[in-house]
Amino acid sequence: MKGIRDWVFSQVLSNSLAASRPLSSSGSFFRQGPSDEDSDQVAPAHTSSLVAPPVPPDASYSSDVNQDYQSHPTLQQVSVEDYSRSQDHNTDEKKMDPLAKIEDLKIKFLRLLQRIGHSQSNLLVTKVLYRLHLATLIQAGESDLTVDKLRSDRARRIAREQEAAGLPELDFSIRILVLGKTGVGKSATINSIFHETKTETDAFQPATDCIREFAGTVNGIKISFIDTPGLLPSSTRNMRRNRKILLSVKKFIRKSPPDIVLYFERLDLINMGYSDFPLLKLMTEVFGTAIWFNTILVMTHSSSTVPEGPSGYRASYESYVTQCSDLVQQYIHQAVSDSRLENPVLQVENHPQCRKNFNGEHILPNGQVWKSHFLLLCVCTKVLGDANALLDFRDGMKLGPLSNTRLPSLPHLLSSFLRHRSLSTPREAENEMDEVLASDLDEEDEYDQLPTIRILTKSQFDRLTKSQKNSYLDELDYREILYYKKQLKEESRKRKENKLSSEENFPDDSNSDVQASPDAVPLPDITLPPSFDSDCPSHRYRCLDTSDQWVARPVLDPQGWDHDISFDGVNLETALEIKRNVFASVTGQMSKDKQDFSIHSECAAVYTDPRGPMYCTGLDVQSSGKDMIYTVHSNTKLRNFKHNVTECGVSLTSFRNNYYVGAKLEDTLLVGKRLKLVMNGGRMGGGGQVAYGGSVEATLRGRDYPMRNENVSLSMTALSYNKEMVLSGGIQSEFQPSRGMKVMVNANLNNRKVGQICVKLSSSEHIEIALIAVFSILGGLLRKKATKNRSSEALESG
């Protein structure tokens, strides 16, 4: 059931409950902060003066609202058998199994809902019950919905019976820690909830100078508040005072951690210039990131007048509250370095002239009874915390930057290792071209045998008929191909002659004069995407083409809209001949922003034996999150026959102290000058697991190759891992159906019915082909909308 466990955790972190969503972890989150030794070293010796002895709970402190929910004696007519069943159900928790504990927690939650006057149809209540349902499934290890429905119905019936009878006594209490800057209304909120003056308040100076604990009963729920001295506004000189207060609070709650934390802010003082990041960061350092799991944002002075918006009109109350709470939440995300957290928000108004409803309850401008909503948030947060403690999620629920702990899969490493690498040396590319043209070198050039042709001017070309224009252009294309073919033959013939002369005169080459290096010339501008730049940009990134072996140029981000940020990296390339028959090449790309650094480089050294074999070794370095992947590979190419090349290679990959070893065998066969076959197979092993794979690829080139790169490639790949086989096939083609138009097709499909197809068309004559993109974009948007609707329906029905 680990998959369900992980999914529940993702729901706790990411599912939104609008403005009232409790997030809860285990009750012992304050124990995950810095060690006691560190706290004692940082906290001064006189911080204990901030702590006052706790005030004992008193039944007389209970709210008058509690009288409305007391059971009437005439309603307590419960049979002896039902009461006995209730007593049997509420046995000692130490002897109860996890399922019984979760069911007992659900009964308590349903009884509390009756006391605070909220129905089970409330959205917040529905989601808490759903998470308790998931907790039942995790503990039961089954997904029998019928059994769980019977358990839920039984829990509702027992909750009604126990609450009507008042037996057994509800064992449920909430301990709340109050934090916030001075003067935001922490003590006033405590007095408003208890309907009594528990602590002194002052509108002009801090009224709380030490830590005090107040306890009482509200609507039959035992609640205790830990009131703390107000923190000072964020500044360098106030950080020492704030740290002293927070360390004393941490020492006070070490033995008995609170269930809920209330962090206070004044709604009327939050504006676009609000910035309390240093204070929030200090709280995170002292208590740990887990404090924010159980934190509720409390916005006091919530009946204040909504300020005017940018348009000069006052914004709606709901939008203003959402804007202010999102601003505070954003700084919390920065403090914990995690944007998945979303704390519930509570609006509070403690002014005695606050508007009331017909029951005498204080209501906000949106008509919400804030005290009732406060009780609901606290109960839901405490229940979720108890459920998480039963499921032992304390180690799995962590906040902070997402660390990429996922190891690379063996099939992925194997498929990357088996891919046909490009040619390793410039000479090898030239040798392949010479082999393709070898059969035509002894033949006479067709271009020289062609009759002369008259080149028409534009006006003369326009007077031709359509068929005459096509014939004229076809003739020009044919002559262009023959001329290009003649040039390639001449270059191939010269290379052979130079190779023979260099072999004969190699000892005397050292006495040859050194040629002067050409002057540096600027390279043309990189083609940039559409942008909002002016017509006369003030600067451009440029690079020079010099005689230096190193080529450095900026890396363009194709998704960028602004030229100033489109260049996000540097690319370095070099290829040189160290000595005769020994080549080296280095290719690397680096990018760096304010937070992340990434690098991808490939280094290789090749030795070409004059008798045919070629030996290559290389090192590849690639960043993966904060870690690096190192791969050392070695290949040997053997030319068995004139048109056959066999390659064998080994590789060693290192990633986070994990090592993967691979081996492959590849054979390339040239059939004529148009058909090329590549077959390879290999295995990759590491961590006690092995993956096998192989592929076959056939490439049929066009008749005008290499003058025109028209080809069709068919490939078949097989990967075997953990007794599972994945077969995939693909086709890749590039051709020119007509003059001025090029088509590229790439498609693949595997035995799991997963695949893709990509068609690219480029034309200089048919501009209307670009309208095809409109249909693709609309189709993608419709599919995305349909998927989102299905996900929402599944979440609501779940």
Side-chain angles (χ1 to χ4, degrees):
M1 302 299 293
K2 184 174 178 56
I4 297 180
R5 184 186 297 263
D6 295 340
W7 185 82
V8 172
F9 175 51
S10 64
Q11 293 291 309
V12 173
L13 281 179
S14 59
N15 284 352
S16 175
L17 292 186
S20 59
R21 187 181 70 106
L23 283 174
S24 180
S25 179
S26 61
S28 59
F29 54 86
F30 287 101
R31 299 173 187 172
Q32 301 177 4
S35 61
D36 299 343
E37 293 78 8
D38 297 340
S39 300
D40 295 337
Q41 292 175 2
V42 178
H46 57 275
T47 55
S48 58
S49 61
L50 295 172
V51 182
V55 179
D58 191 351
S60 62
Y61 291 160
S62 61
S63 172
D64 297 336
V65 185
N66 187 27
Q67 300 176 0
D68 299 336
Y69 296 95
Q70 291 179 351
S71 301
H72 196 275
T74 59
L75 298 178
Q76 299 180 4
Q77 300 175 357
V78 183
S79 62
V80 178
E81 293 79 9
D82 293 340
Y83 177 72
S84 300
R85 288 198 303 270
S86 301
Q87 289 295 101
D88 295 338
H89 176 73
N90 293 276
T91 57
D92 187 11
E93 291 188 0
K94 294 183 179 180
K95 299 180 181 180
M96 295 170 62
D97 59 88
L99 283 176
K101 291 182 180 180
I102 296 175
E103 187 175 1
D104 181 68
L105 185 62
K106 184 182 295 185
I107 293 173
K108 289 181 181 180
F109 180 62
L110 294 173
R111 291 184 62 182
L112 291 169
L113 291 178
Q114 300 180 46
R115 295 193 179 188
I116 62 180
H118 283 276
S119 65
Q120 299 181 17
S121 60
N122 184 286
L123 178 62
L124 186 58
V125 174
T126 302
K127 294 193 175 184
V128 173
L129 291 175
Y130 177 64
R131 294 181 186 179
L132 292 177
H133 160 71
L134 292 178
T136 303
L137 294 182
I138 292 176
Q139 288 294 346
E142 60 184 3
S143 57
D144 192 345
L145 299 180
T146 304
V147 175
D148 184 70
K149 186 176 184 303
L150 294 176
R151 288 180 177 271
S152 300
D153 295 340
R154 180 169 174 264
R156 291 185 174 90
R157 177 176 57 81
I158 293 177
R160 288 194 300 269
E161 294 174 355
Q162 291 183 355
E163 191 62 21
L167 294 174
E169 184 179 355
L170 186 61
D171 183 18
F172 188 87
S173 62
I174 304 176
R175 197 160 186 257
I176 302 174
L177 174 65
V178 177
L179 294 174
K181 294 192 295 291
T182 181
V184 295
K186 302 186 297 297
S187 301
T189 303
I190 296 175
N191 295 336
S192 298
I193 292 173
F194 284 122
H195 286 283
E196 293 188 25
T197 303
K198 291 282 189 177
T199 178
E200 297 296 332
T201 61
D202 196 320
F204 301 100
Q205 60 182 357
T208 304
D209 56 356
C210 59
I211 303 174
R212 297 181 182 272
E213 186 169 358
F214 306 96
T217 304
V218 180
N219 289 21
I221 303 174
K222 299 176 183 178
I223 300 179
S224 61
F225 284 92
I226 304 174
D227 195 13
T228 61
L231 302 172
L232 300 179
S234 300
S235 65
T236 305
R237 63 177 180 271
N238 293 335
M239 292 298 290
R240 182 185 297 272
R241 169 66 178 174
N242 290 337
R243 182 180 294 272
K244 172 184 174 181
I245 295 174
L246 294 176
L247 289 174
S248 62
V249 172
K250 180 180 179 181
K251 185 176 181 180
F252 182 85
I253 63 176
R254 181 175 294 131
K255 294 183 179 180
S256 180
D259 303 308
I260 301 169
V261 178
L262 300 182
Y263 180 73
F264 283 75
E265 284 287 355
R266 285 188 57 164
L267 183 65
D268 57 339
L269 296 183
I270 297 178
N271 50 38
M272 296 308 296
Y274 169 87
S275 177
D276 257 348
F277 172 74
L279 180 58
L280 299 174
K281 187 67 174 178
L282 179 61
M283 293 174 55
T284 306
E285 292 176 357
V286 174
F287 296 114
T289 57
I291 183 180
W292 299 108
F293 273 117
N294 295 56
T295 299
I296 299 175
L297 300 181
V298 181
M299 300 292 183
T300 59
H301 296 263
S302 294
S303 293
S304 303
T305 304
V306 177
E308 294 182 355
S311 60
Y313 296 95
R314 290 179 178 174
S316 63
Y317 179 78
E318 294 293 345
S319 63
Y320 175 68
V321 172
T322 302
Q323 178 183 0
C324 294
S325 58
D326 289 347
L327 186 60
V328 179
Q329 187 73 68
Q330 179 182 356
Y331 284 106
I332 295 177
H333 291 167
Q334 296 179 12
V336 300
S337 301
D338 197 328
S339 60
R340 297 173 296 172
L341 183 66
E342 184 177 352
N343 299 94
V345 180
L346 174 68
Q347 295 96 50
V348 171
E349 181 55 65
N350 299 312
H351 199 279
Q353 296 182 359
C354 179
R355 192 160 55 97
K356 301 180 180 180
N357 59 7
F358 59 90
N359 291 329
E361 300 170 321
H362 292 279
I363 60 176
L364 300 174
N366 59 356
Q368 184 183 68
V369 181
W370 71 265
K371 294 182 183 179
S372 176
H373 190 58
F374 162 77
L375 292 176
L376 179 62
L377 282 178
C378 292
V379 168
C380 291
T381 305
K382 174 66 185 304
V383 169
L384 285 180
D386 295 342
N388 291 334
L390 292 176
L391 295 176
D392 195 17
F393 275 168
R394 288 174 294 180
D395 297 333
M397 302 177 68
K398 297 179 181 179
L399 291 175
L402 294 177
S403 58
N404 186 14
T405 58
R406 182 179 178 183
L407 297 177
S409 63
L410 283 179
H412 173 73
L413 293 176
L414 180 59
S415 60
S416 177
F417 178 53
L418 291 179
R419 66 181 175 88
H420 182 65
R421 292 179 175 267
S422 59
L423 299 175
S424 303
T425 63
R427 290 187 178 180
E428 189 173 358
E430 296 173 355
N431 293 337
E432 184 180 5
M433 185 69 66
D434 294 342
E435 291 178 1
V436 175
L437 298 172
S439 59
D440 300 333
L441 287 178
D442 298 334
E443 299 178 0
E444 296 183 0
D445 293 331
E446 299 180 17
Y447 182 79
D448 297 334
Q449 300 176 1
L450 292 176
T452 59
I453 184 174
R454 179 184 177 185
I455 304 301
L456 302 179
T457 63
K458 186 176 184 303
S459 59
Q460 294 173 342
F461 180 78
D462 293 337
R463 290 195 295 266
L464 298 178
T465 61
K466 185 176 182 180
S467 59
Q468 291 175 341
K469 290 180 180 179
N470 292 333
S471 300
Y472 178 74
L473 294 176
D474 290 340
E475 180 66 21
L476 289 181
D477 290 341
Y478 177 69
R479 289 173 176 266
E480 180 184 3
I481 293 175
L482 293 181
Y483 179 74
Y484 185 36
K485 184 178 181 180
K486 177 183 176 181
Q487 285 185 324
L488 293 178
K489 288 182 179 180
E490 290 293 335
E491 293 177 359
S492 178
R493 186 179 294 107
K494 290 181 180 179
R495 280 196 299 268
K496 287 189 174 182
E497 294 175 356
N498 293 335
K499 184 177 180 181
L500 293 175
S501 61
S502 62
E503 291 178 355
E504 294 176 357
N505 303 323
F506 180 76
D508 300 333
D509 287 346
S510 58
N511 299 326
S512 60
D513 297 335
V514 179
Q515 296 181 356
S517 59
D519 296 333
V521 295
L523 291 178
D525 289 335
I526 301 177
T527 304
L528 297 173
S531 175
F532 299 102
D533 287 350
S534 61
D535 295 334
C536 299
S538 59
H539 67 276
R540 291 283 191 188
Y541 288 92
R542 302 296 296 271
C543 52
L544 299 178
D545 183 13
T546 66
S547 61
D548 191 3
Q549 297 291 344
W550 287 94
V551 177
R553 55 178 178 264
V555 178
L556 177 66
D557 180 11
Q559 305 300 328
W561 286 90
D562 192 294
H563 292 173
D564 293 339
I565 61 174
S566 294
F567 299 98
D568 61 351
V570 177
N571 181 271
L572 299 174
E573 294 182 7
T574 185
L576 66 158
E577 184 176 3
I578 300 177
K579 56 187 302 185
R580 188 182 185 189
N581 299 328
V582 178
F583 300 88
S585 64
V586 178
T587 302
Q589 178 175 320
M590 297 173 290
S591 62
K592 178 70 173 70
D593 56 16
K594 294 181 179 180
Q595 295 180 351
D596 300 326
F597 170 79
S598 63
I599 182 174
H600 181 82
S601 66
E602 297 181 359
C603 307
V606 181
Y607 170 71
T608 303
D609 194 322
R611 292 171 293 181
M614 184 175 63
Y615 307 96
C616 174
T617 181
L619 171 64
D620 298 345
V621 180
Q622 182 178 357
S623 59
S624 176
K626 301 297 182 181
D627 301 305
M628 305 294 291
I629 301 177
Y630 302 94
T631 301
V632 179
H633 57 85
S634 177
N635 302 328
T636 300
K637 292 185 178 181
L638 304 174
R639 183 173 295 275
N640 300 334
F641 301 98
K642 183 178 181 180
H643 300 291
N644 183 40
V645 177
T646 302
E647 177 183 353
C648 57
V650 295
S651 72
L652 175 63
T653 302
S654 173
F655 180 66
R656 290 182 181 171
N657 297 326
N658 295 278
Y659 298 93
Y660 307 89
V661 180
K664 76 169 182 177
L665 181 64
E666 179 177 302
D667 190 77
T668 303
L669 179 62
L670 296 177
V671 182
K673 64 177 182 179
R674 298 183 60 186
L675 181 60
K676 179 180 179 181
L677 298 177
V678 179
M679 298 168 287
N680 61 30
R683 57 171 287 173
M684 180 75 69
Q689 297 177 333
V690 180
Y692 300 89
S695 65
V696 178
E697 181 179 356
T699 303
L700 181 62
R701 296 161 174 167
R703 62 179 182 178
D704 296 328
Y705 179 84
M707 281 67 69
R708 287 182 178 176
N709 189 22
E710 295 181 344
N711 60 80
V712 177
S713 298
L714 299 176
S715 62
M716 178 67 68
T717 303
L719 290 174
S720 176
Y721 179 67
N722 283 346
K723 299 181 180 180
E724 294 185 6
M725 177 74 71
V726 177
L727 300 175
S728 62
I731 180 174
Q732 184 175 358
S733 177
E734 181 178 352
F735 57 94
Q736 187 174 350
S738 63
R739 187 184 305 105
M741 178 183 294
K742 291 183 179 181
V743 180
M744 289 179 289
V745 180
N746 189 355
N748 58 74
L749 181 67
N750 59 23
N751 59 341
R752 298 184 178 180
K753 299 181 180 180
V754 177
Q756 65 177 0
I757 181 172
C758 177
V759 179
K760 295 182 180 180
L761 293 88
S762 61
S763 174
S764 58
E765 298 179 357
H766 305 281
I767 307 300
E768 60 274 9
I769 295 179
L771 297 177
I772 299 177
V774 177
F775 297 97
S776 302
I777 295 174
L778 292 177
L781 293 176
L782 293 176
R783 287 193 301 271
K784 184 177 180 180
K785 183 178 180 181
T787 304
K788 183 178 181 181
N789 293 337
R790 286 196 298 268
S791 302
S792 301
E793 294 175 358
L795 181 60
E796 294 176 357
S797 61

